[in-house]
């Protein structure tokens, strides 16, 4: 697996002859930090997560990725290693579920890629019982979600991470996830957040634009009748209209964004805070199949640093 400039062939012969022997020579079992650093490209910091199970088995995951990030999947690589004994088919099922709720629920810039990989490998060295599986599945999920969050927080030029919680969407989780990614990819909303500007109309517009591409006006109205939108924990839209109460609210929402701000060139993130966005379609909203989508999507803002990185990418 590899990432790089699309269309350019990688020097396979040189890699096999020169890099692989050095990699084998440098193998060690003391730390995975070297691996996490070795796969970095425009990443600002290595991404590494681990979990030790009660039976002594360990799960360790590393990832790289900072730009051209939107599933399925993105210009990203992730490798997860474990000594937990598990059959291949079951490991694949657990990994697929975890990836959908993590790597497939993020976006830095809305750009998909031809190059991406998530692999889980087990050495089957630690014996496991059936009752260990729930904890193992939780560990895989926790590591994938942690690494996915690290990728967004480490996004090219990222100065804010958006956490978009969608609940009671009248449709499937996948459809709700598509809405979340559509919101995260709104250029106008991303720029507003980069500037700590609580332009709530851009958030409502992003929701409406997505629904408008899928539904007629009557269906949209029925789906949004009970919709509540929150920003920074404060209700900003309810009963079909905005709930905004003057400069004090405006300043509160702006301060929420300021508190979540990161340095665009920070080597490591100084905190794990997000710009919190909540969209609740109401408990009574279900589609014809009775489905109700509940998902969380992470997204990045859009800064001048992102433009600079990608304008100079090949030079």
């Amino acid at each position: 697996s590899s990432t790089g400039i699309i269309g350019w062939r990688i020097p396979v012969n040189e890699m096999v002859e020169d890099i692989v022997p050095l990699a084998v020579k440098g193998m060690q079992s003391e730390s995975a930090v070297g691996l996490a650093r070795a796969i970095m490209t425009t990443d600002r910091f290595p991404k590494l997560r681990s979990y030790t199970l009660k039976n002594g088995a360990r799960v360790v995951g590393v990832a790289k990725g900072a730009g051209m990030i939107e599933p399925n999947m993105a210009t990203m690589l992730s490798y997860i290693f474990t000594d937990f004994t598990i059959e291949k088919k079951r490991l694949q099922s657990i990994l697929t579920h975890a990836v959908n709720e993590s790597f497939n629920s993020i976006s830095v810039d809305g750009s998909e890629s031809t190059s991406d990989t998530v692999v889980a490998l087990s050495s089957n060295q630690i014996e496991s019982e059936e009752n260990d599986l729930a904890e193992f599945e939780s560990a895989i999920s926790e590591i994938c979600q942690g690494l996915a969050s690290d990728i967004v927080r480490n996004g090219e030029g990222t100065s804010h991470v958006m956490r978009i919680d969608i609940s009671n969407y009248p449709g499937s989780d996948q459809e709700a996830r598509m809405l979340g990614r559509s919101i995260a990819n709104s250029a106008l909303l991303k720029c507003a957040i980069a500037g700590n500007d609580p332009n709530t109309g851009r958030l409502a517009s992003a929701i409406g634009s997505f629904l408008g591409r899928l539904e007629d006006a009557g269906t949209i109205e029925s789906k949004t009748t009970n919709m509540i939108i929150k920003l920074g924990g404060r209700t900003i839209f309810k009963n079909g209209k905005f709930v905004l109460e003057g400069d004090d609210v405006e300043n509160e929402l702006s301060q929420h964004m300021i508190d979540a701000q990161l340095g665009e060139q920070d080597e490591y993130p100084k905190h794990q805070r997000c710009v919190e966005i909540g969209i609740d379609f109401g408990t009574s909203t279900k589609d014809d199949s009775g489905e109700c989508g509940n998902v969380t999507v992470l997204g990045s803002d859009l800064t001048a640093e992102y433009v600079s990185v990608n304008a100079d990418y090949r030079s």
Side-chain angles (χ1 to χ4, degrees):
S1 58
S2 68
T3 65
I5 299 172
I6 296 172
W8 287 30
R9 292 184 180 274
I10 60 175
V12 176
N13 291 335
E14 289 84 350
M15 291 174 66
V16 171
E17 294 171 3
D18 300 330
I19 297 178
V20 172
L22 290 174
V24 172
K25 186 178 179 180
M27 288 180 67
Q28 46 80 32
S29 58
E30 295 165 358
S31 173
V33 174
L35 169 59
R37 286 191 178 280
I39 59 176
M40 291 167 57
T41 49
T42 57
D43 305 65
R44 285 174 283 164
F45 62 86
K47 286 163 278 294
L48 172 67
R49 299 275 176 156
S50 67
Y51 189 108
T52 301
L53 281 74
K54 293 175 182 176
N55 71 349
R58 295 197 69 204
V59 182
V60 176
V62 298
K64 65 82 59 179
M68 205 173 182
I69 301 291
E70 190 200 27
N72 301 308
M73 282 177 287
T75 304
M76 52 151 283
L77 306 174
S78 182
Y79 306 102
I80 300 167
F81 308 98
T82 184
D83 49 13
F84 184 91
T85 297
I86 185 170
E87 62 178 6
K88 179 180 178 180
K89 185 176 181 180
R90 203 155 197 178
L91 179 58
Q92 180 64 63
S93 175
I94 290 172
L95 180 65
T96 298
H97 178 75
V99 165
N100 281 336
E101 295 190 343
S102 56
F103 298 114
N104 280 346
S105 295
I106 61 174
S107 178
V108 169
D109 48 20
S111 297
E112 296 186 6
S113 172
T114 60
S115 306
D116 53 29
T117 300
V118 174
V119 174
L121 301 171
S122 174
S123 64
N124 288 335
Q125 293 298 301
I126 302 294
E127 292 186 12
S128 61
E129 305 293 337
E130 187 70 24
N131 58 9
D132 295 323
L133 275 171
E135 186 187 13
F136 176 75
E137 186 169 0
S138 177
I140 294 288
S141 177
E142 181 178 310
I143 284 176
C144 287
Q145 290 187 23
L147 291 172
S149 174
D150 290 341
I151 287 174
V152 178
R153 200 165 295 276
N154 185 210
E156 290 171 352
T158 294
S159 68
H160 297 80
V161 175
M162 294 179 266
R163 179 159 44 215
I164 305 164
D165 290 317
I166 298 173
S167 55
N168 299 307
Y169 181 80
S172 65
D173 283 352
Q174 178 60 22
E175 291 168 329
R177 189 172 292 114
M178 290 169 61
L179 169 59
R181 280 158 52 177
S182 182
I183 294 167
N185 291 335
S186 167
L188 287 174
L189 179 62
K190 290 161 80 75
C191 289
I193 291 175
N196 298 314
D197 176 11
N199 192 328
T200 54
R202 292 184 178 181
L203 173 55
S205 175
I207 298 169
S209 294
F210 174 82
L211 295 175
R213 291 194 293 269
L214 301 178
E215 313 285 2
D216 57 50
T219 304
I220 293 173
E221 184 174 358
S222 67
K223 283 189 173 184
T224 58
T225 298
N226 300 316
M227 184 177 68
I228 297 174
I229 304 175
K230 292 186 178 183
L231 179 59
R234 171 177 280 275
T235 298
I236 61 170
F237 186 93
K238 187 177 182 180
N239 297 325
K241 60 183 180 181
F242 284 103
V243 184
L244 301 172
E245 303 168 359
D247 291 343
D248 288 345
V249 173
E250 183 89 359
N251 292 334
E252 176 189 326
L253 297 177
S254 182
Q255 187 61 50
H256 171 68
M257 295 179 177
I258 292 170
D259 291 342
Q261 190 164 8
L262 299 158
E264 298 170 24
Q265 299 179 357
D266 288 351
E267 186 175 356
Y268 283 92
K270 298 175 181 178
H271 58 75
Q272 297 291 313
R273 294 189 290 275
C274 300
V275 174
E276 303 289 353
I277 296 171
I279 303 113
D280 186 348
F281 284 83
T283 55
S284 63
T285 54
K286 292 185 178 181
D287 69 355
D288 293 338
S289 68
E291 285 190 289
C292 202
N294 298 278
V295 300
T296 298
V297 172
L298 299 180
S300 168
D301 61 359
L302 177 59
T303 66
E305 177 66 14
Y306 175 86
V307 176
S308 176
V309 169
N310 284 282
D312 299 335
Y313 183 68
R314 297 202 305 163
S315 56

